[in-house]
Amino acid sequence: LPDRIYDVLNHPPKGFDVAAVSRLFASLEADDWKRTADLLNEKGAVLAKHGLRLAYHNHGVDFLALPGNTNGFRLLVERTDPKLVSFELDVGWAVSAGQELLPLFRLLGERIRLLHLKDTKRLSISGMELASTDAGTGIVKWNEVVDFVRRSPVEHMFVEQEEPFPTTP
């Protein structure tokens, strides 16, 4: 990602500035995502020499619309080498960003090795906003997730919940 993103991601003493990060991620262009894909390929090749595999984890910003009826996530999938880069789909972030799961599962195919099982109360209003809730109490279509997992290459799943927590974590 461009340096302007890393500068804002450094957590200042007052904490993480979600609004500033949202504005910066919204400024990403297709070329930024293509450079990221190239970096993932490069690092994936290095890791493969050591028997390791790289997996990319999405957030809501990955699905912000780009010209040409695409988004950053799609560019990463299309431009990364399937032999070097797998994906760790975070279903909560994807659904929060307005994505339908079945097309995402189809897009990723055999490249999806990991899942973050997370739920959200509603669609987000920005790429960095997630209305986290207990799994099963939000808008994620869990029947689709379960169906997919039963016939997928997913190796590991992580139940995760982000703040705000309705009860103690």
Side-chain angles (χ1 to χ4, degrees):
L1 295 171
D3 287 341
R4 68 185 189 277
I5 300 292
Y6 288 113
D7 292 343
V8 171
L9 290 178
N10 288 324
H11 297 259
K14 292 182 181 177
F16 191 67
D17 186 343
V18 174
V21 172
S22 294
R23 284 191 303 276
L24 279 170
F25 276 120
S27 76
L28 290 177
E29 298 174 355
D31 285 344
D32 296 317
W33 289 101
K34 289 175 183 176
R35 277 192 300 279
T36 300
D38 294 344
L39 178 69
L40 293 172
N41 285 328
E42 177 187 318
K43 299 304 180 184
V46 171
L47 291 169
K49 292 177 185 173
H50 300 282
L52 298 171
R53 186 162 178 91
L54 179 82
Y56 180 84
H57 176 285
N58 65 282
H59 290 88
V61 297
D62 298 67
F63 301 104
L64 294 175
L66 292 171
N69 197 29
T70 193
N71 58 49
F73 190 78
R74 180 169 290 279
L75 291 174
L76 292 179
V77 173
E78 292 171 353
R79 194 169 174 106
T80 53
D81 185 340
K83 295 178 186 142
L84 301 174
V85 180
S86 293
F87 285 84
E88 176 180 25
L89 183 66
D90 187 312
V91 298
W93 277 111
V95 169
S96 179
Q99 300 300 298
E100 292 291 329
L101 292 176
L102 292 178
L104 279 178
F105 292 150
R106 277 191 227 98
L107 173 67
L108 292 170
E110 295 294 314
R111 298 179 71 182
I112 186 169
R113 302 293 175 90
L114 307 157
L115 277 178
H116 268 202
L117 304 176
K118 186 185 299 177
D119 213 336
T120 181
K121 294 178 196 173
R122 58 181 159 67
L123 296 178
S124 67
I125 54 173
S126 79
M128 286 299 296
E129 187 243 358
L130 178 73
S132 187
T133 189
D134 291 332
T137 65
I139 62 173
V140 170
K141 297 175 184 171
W142 291 103
N143 58 329
E144 290 180 2
V145 175
V146 170
D147 242 19
F148 171 74
V149 167
R150 287 192 172 135
R151 52 186 168 72
S152 77
V154 171
E155 297 170 9
H156 301 284
M157 296 178 282
F158 306 90
V159 176
E160 182 184 38
Q161 184 171 332
E162 297 189 21
E163 295 181 61
F165 302 111
T167 58
T168 62

